[in-house]
Amino acid sequence: MIRKHVVLAADLAGTVVFAIEGANAAIHAGLDLLGVLVLSFVVALGGGIVRDLLIGDTPPSALRDWRYPTLAFIAGLVTFFFYTQVAVIPPALLTTLDAAGLALFAVAGAEKALDFQMGSLSAVLLGTITGCGGGVIRDLLLTHVPMVLVANIYASAALLGATIVVVGRRLGCPPAVAAVLGGVVCLALRLAAVRYNWQLPRLA
Amino acid sequence: MIRKHVVLAADLAGTVVFAIEGANAAIHAGLDLLGVLVLSFVVALGGGIVRDLLIGDTPPSALRDWRYPTLAFIAGLVTFFFYTQVAVIPPALLTTLDAAGLALFAVAGAEKALDFQMGSLSAVLLGTITGCGGGVIRDLLLTHVPMVLVANIYASAALLGATIVVVGRRLGCPPAVAAVLGGVVCLALRLAAVRYNWQLPRLA
Amino acid sequence: MIRKHVVLAADLAGTVVFAIEGANAAIHAGLDLLGVLVLSFVVALGGGIVRDLLIGDTPPSALRDWRYPTLAFIAGLVTFFFYTQVAVIPPALLTTLDAAGLALFAVAGAEKALDFQMGSLSAVLLGTITGCGGGVIRDLLLTHVPMVLVANIYASAALLGATIVVVGRRLGCPPAVAAVLGGVVCLALRLAAVRYNWQLPRLA
């Protein structure tokens, strides 16, 4: 019971953080108020919506529970109308919160995929998509090559976290242990990668 | 019975107008004949297809009823092969027809979402997506930031129209009244916004 | 029984070819290793995933059978780590293999749509999407206007191949005959178009 509340609280918190980031990106790109709200929604909920479409769990949970879109829109409105105050949030704090949101979404996405009887590889991919999908849609809407494809250990951290969840569950770990382990590793890897500027190899 | 025919006729008319606009955009962007047909299809039917995927009503109605894609392709072919004649259509007329198509699709989309037991907020969002989704896909295919995110009262008009439909239905309005009211307000707001160059606020 | 193995082998071969092309595009665009793997996956399997979402056959077969994503990722990894060797493959060979993959995917996509009771027009469109969809997503992720919309007889070859399959089946042809005929025509048209630089008409 307590666990359920913790998960819900964490999920809503991740939604708020991602929505603020979406609103920030929209404001920097010169979008109007509607564009800000769309990007808040898409960054916060797009990854989960793509996951649910792929799993076949329609309508996506983000459209069945009004609290998620409402929260994303409120976060977008607050960011827009109190932009000077929101801009004061230290980048390091935002990065940390974003990494926490990434870890949370990747773990939750992998768990949901397993609950829907997806195979191990697919569950890992769906966890990663849940964590990164919103940011990819944001970049496409702003006509940038998606940031996660170009540089930084970001999707890779989500991938590792989701892998730990799936492998842990397959090996018979208690779900809560696998989830915490996967989330902590994803968070730690992401923060270390930012701190030490780790990059994946590339050729060109 | 008469109402059913009116709705069908309006729906097909909206499809034709949006398909012509898609073909126009494709021709201006230098696409070949196939690109013109793809954009006719996508602008006319893309919003409804995304709505149906999100609702879980698959295959989307645009792929179950051959009349819709056929009509979109014919409109695209005519625009391509009689471009000089189509280019003569006064822009003001096209803008009005486009606003009518937007109103129609937003209302029809919200109604379909309600028929599928979606919640109020989701029905409003799905109505808006039905109206604007095709234009967003067009802009993405042409690698522009979607016009509806940047400027103009366009998606907002669809949003208001869809909201009126949903609120009206929840308050017990006869469906036809809610639909006409929502459609007229959407149309009027869109046309007024074009006429007086109304814009949503933006920061940057 | 033999036929089933031939179809499976052809399908897996098409997946490998498309995955190599996706990896090549990613490397040229300067993406990192993760971006290379994502583009391998998307080019090889994106068209089929979009088809399955539209048909309503979820989860998409590419996520139900671990062999497809595994093969795409291996092809991406090999292309990345043995890039100098892969770069030696003559372009003419790659073009031929790509045309073969296009033919195969278009035929297989149209057949699957027919198996799911889609109408004739929709089956043709879904076959075309299966053949070209992965390349469209690749171009969108790299923020190019999709190549198939601008020039070359590429999607048109897939469209013709899928049309032959659907018309053949409707006329009572044995499925294998319709499939081979559609595939050969698609392949031949694509190769002839490359050889003689055939283009569709365009206005601008």
Side-chain angles (χ1 to χ4, degrees):
Chain A
M1 197 59 201
I2 288 180
R3 194 187 155 233
K4 205 177 148 192
H5 280 101
V6 171
V7 169
L8 180 66
D11 208 16
L12 295 174
T15 302
V16 169
V17 172
F18 276 34
I20 292 175
E21 296 186 334
N24 267 331
I27 292 167
H28 284 132
L31 305 192
D32 67 12
L33 176 56
L34 187 114
V36 169
L37 294 179
V38 169
L39 261 79
S40 299
F41 180 89
V42 150
V43 174
L45 304 173
I49 289 176
V50 171
R51 176 203 58 212
D52 288 351
L53 288 177
L54 290 171
I55 289 179
D57 180 37
T58 52
S61 48
L63 291 182
R64 266 177 315 188
D65 184 337
W66 59 271
R67 288 175 298 185
Y68 290 95
T70 304
L71 207 57
F73 290 136
I74 291 176
L77 284 172
V78 168
T79 307
F80 187 83
F81 286 111
F82 299 91
Y83 186 62
T84 356
Q85 287 86 328
V86 172
V88 167
I89 301 176
L93 178 57
L94 263 190
T95 304
T96 309
L97 289 173
D98 175 73
L102 177 72
L104 193 85
F105 281 20
V107 168
E111 286 186 321
K112 178 162 184 178
L114 290 176
D115 290 345
F116 277 76
Q117 318 299 339
M118 304 295 295
S120 299
L121 176 57
S122 292
V124 168
L125 298 178
L126 288 163
T128 311
I129 288 172
T130 309
C132 307
V136 169
I137 305 177
R138 171 201 64 207
D139 292 339
L140 292 179
L141 289 173
L142 299 177
T143 65
H144 303 144
V145 175
M147 178 266 281
V148 295
L149 301 182
V150 182
N152 291 313
I153 309 278
Y154 190 89
S156 329
L159 189 73
L160 183 60
T163 304
I164 289 173
V165 170
V166 172
V167 171
R169 292 277 285 266
R170 295 293 188 220
L171 295 178
C173 256
V177 173
V180 169
L181 201 63
V184 166
V185 169
C186 171
L187 177 63
L189 173 56
R190 173 65 189 146
L191 291 180
V194 172
R195 177 79 176 76
Y196 300 107
N197 195 25
W198 290 344
Q199 304 281 342
L200 285 182
R202 66 170 107 177
L203 292 182
Chain B
M1 197 58 201
I2 289 179
R3 192 187 157 234
K4 206 178 147 192
H5 281 100
V6 171
V7 169
L8 180 65
D11 208 16
L12 295 173
T15 302
V16 169
V17 173
F18 276 34
I20 292 175
E21 297 186 334
N24 267 330
I27 292 168
H28 283 131
L31 304 193
D32 67 12
L33 177 55
L34 186 116
V36 170
L37 294 179
V38 168
L39 260 80
S40 299
F41 179 90
V42 150
V43 174
L45 304 173
I49 289 175
V50 171
R51 175 203 60 212
D52 289 351
L53 287 178
L54 289 171
I55 289 178
D57 180 38
T58 52
S61 48
L63 291 182
R64 264 177 315 188
D65 184 338
W66 60 271
R67 288 175 299 185
Y68 290 94
T70 304
L71 207 57
F73 289 136
I74 291 175
L77 284 172
V78 168
T79 307
F80 187 83
F81 286 111
F82 300 91
Y83 186 63
T84 354
Q85 287 87 326
V86 171
V88 167
I89 301 177
L93 178 57
L94 262 190
T95 303
T96 309
L97 290 173
D98 174 73
L102 177 71
L104 193 84
F105 280 20
V107 168
E111 286 186 321
K112 176 160 186 180
L114 289 176
D115 290 346
F116 277 77
Q117 317 301 338
M118 303 295 294
S120 299
L121 175 57
S122 292
V124 168
L125 298 178
L126 288 163
T128 310
I129 288 172
T130 309
C132 307
V136 169
I137 305 178
R138 171 201 64 207
D139 291 340
L140 291 180
L141 289 173
L142 300 177
T143 64
H144 303 145
V145 176
M147 180 266 281
V148 295
L149 300 183
V150 181
N152 293 312
I153 309 279
Y154 190 90
S156 328
L159 189 74
L160 184 61
T163 304
I164 289 174
V165 170
V166 172
V167 171
R169 292 277 284 267
R170 295 292 188 220
L171 295 177
C173 256
V177 174
V180 169
L181 200 64
V184 167
V185 170
C186 172
L187 177 63
L189 174 55
R190 172 66 189 146
L191 291 179
V194 172
R195 178 82 176 72
Y196 300 106
N197 194 26
W198 290 344
Q199 303 281 342
L200 285 182
R202 69 168 105 175
L203 292 182
Chain C
M1 198 56 201
I2 288 180
R3 195 189 154 231
K4 206 178 147 192
H5 280 100
V6 172
V7 169
L8 180 66
D11 209 15
L12 295 174
T15 301
V16 169
V17 173
F18 276 34
I20 292 174
E21 297 186 335
N24 267 330
I27 291 167
H28 283 131
L31 304 192
D32 66 13
L33 176 56
L34 186 116
V36 169
L37 294 179
V38 169
L39 261 79
S40 299
F41 179 90
V42 150
V43 173
L45 304 173
I49 289 175
V50 171
R51 175 202 61 212
D52 289 350
L53 288 178
L54 290 170
I55 289 177
D57 180 38
T58 51
S61 47
L63 291 182
R64 264 176 315 188
D65 184 338
W66 60 271
R67 287 175 298 184
Y68 290 94
T70 303
L71 207 57
F73 290 136
I74 290 175
L77 284 171
V78 168
T79 307
F80 187 83
F81 286 111
F82 300 90
Y83 186 63
T84 353
Q85 287 87 327
V86 172
V88 166
I89 301 178
L93 178 58
L94 262 189
T95 303
T96 309
L97 290 173
D98 175 73
L102 178 72
L104 191 87
F105 280 20
V107 168
E111 287 186 320
K112 176 161 185 178
L114 290 175
D115 290 345
F116 277 76
Q117 319 299 339
M118 303 296 294
S120 299
L121 176 56
S122 291
V124 169
L125 298 178
L126 288 163
T128 311
I129 288 171
T130 309
C132 307
V136 169
I137 305 178
R138 171 201 63 206
D139 292 340
L140 291 179
L141 288 174
L142 299 177
T143 65
H144 304 144
V145 175
M147 180 265 280
V148 294
L149 301 181
V150 181
N152 292 311
I153 310 278
Y154 190 89
S156 328
L159 190 72
L160 183 61
T163 304
I164 289 173
V165 170
V166 171
V167 171
R169 292 277 285 266
R170 295 293 188 218
L171 295 177
C173 256
V177 174
V180 169
L181 200 63
V184 167
V185 170
C186 171
L187 177 63
L189 174 56
R190 173 65 190 146
L191 290 180
V194 172
R195 177 80 176 75
Y196 300 107
N197 194 24
W198 290 343
Q199 303 282 340
L200 285 182
R202 66 169 107 175
L203 294 182

